[in-house]
Amino acid sequence: LRRDRTDSMAVQVQQIGLQRQDLAARRATAEQAQRRAADHMLQLAHVARPGIGQQSALGRAVQTYRQLVANDTTSAVAALFRWNLVRAQIAGENWAGALAAIDDLAAQDRGTALAAQALVEGARVARITGDKDRAENYLKRLRLEYPGLAIRRR
């Protein structure tokens, strides 16, 4: 800081510096948590007892992604955290958790490619659980919110 600036100006400059440091710290924390969640997902390929080990690793991944979403709901990477939460719930066959995560992603990230894919996955999961009405509602939302998409039925 220069000597010819007033004390109030010096305070403003210092506050901006703290904000930059805070932002860097938040990014570093988010990156570490993302790596932890990815590590939990990668452990799935190397578990000795697939049933128990897989569920444990998926549970840790779900917990980590929930924490990441709760800590940073508005950033661009929050959509990726929500999508990975959906994937972990589906991999663990936690259908109710998957549908809740899908609904959250579709609402929070409306208009994005991930939200469109979440609606497709929602229809698939709803069919798995036997809820044909919910599956149809996901597909209707997909058609309404993403009119340019070509939708094929299997």
Side-chain angles (χ1 to χ4, degrees), residues 41 44 54-55 58 86-95 98:
M41 293 293 281
L44 300 178
Q54 182 180 25
Q55 291 302 319
L58 284 170
V86 167
R87 291 176 53 216
Q89 296 282 23
I90 290 173
E93 295 182 359
N94 178 0
W95 306 127

Side-chain angles (χ1 to χ4, degrees), residues 95-151:
W95 306 127
L99 290 170
I102 287 165
D103 290 339
D104 183 46
L105 191 149
Q108 295 291 325
D109 303 301
R110 189 174 180 185
T112 65
L114 287 175
Q117 185 62 41
L119 292 173
V120 171
E121 289 299 311
R124 189 177 67 81
V125 170
R127 284 183 192 250
I128 289 171
T129 62
D131 192 346
K132 291 183 181 182
D133 291 337
R134 190 170 187 173
E136 286 300 318
N137 284 336
Y138 281 121
L139 293 176
K140 284 179 187 174
R141 282 181 63 188
L142 185 65
R143 283 187 216 105
L144 288 173
E145 294 177 21
Y146 304 90
L149 289 179
I151 301 171

Side-chain angles (χ1 to χ4, degrees), residues 3-57:
R3 290 184 173 248
D4 59 338
R5 292 188 183 185
T6 65
D7 287 339
S8 64
M9 184 61 138
V11 171
Q12 287 177 344
V13 172
Q14 288 174 354
Q15 287 176 346
I16 290 170
L18 287 176
Q19 289 172 353
R20 286 185 185 156
Q21 290 172 354
D22 291 343
L23 182 59
R26 285 185 66 193
R27 277 191 193 138
T29 302
E31 287 172 5
Q32 289 171 349
Q34 174 71 12
R35 274 188 247 123
R36 264 196 324 269
D39 289 342
H40 295 318
M41 293 293 281
L42 289 174
Q43 286 176 3
L44 300 178
H46 303 289
V47 292
R49 295 171 53 195
I52 295 169
Q54 182 180 25
Q55 291 302 319
S56 176

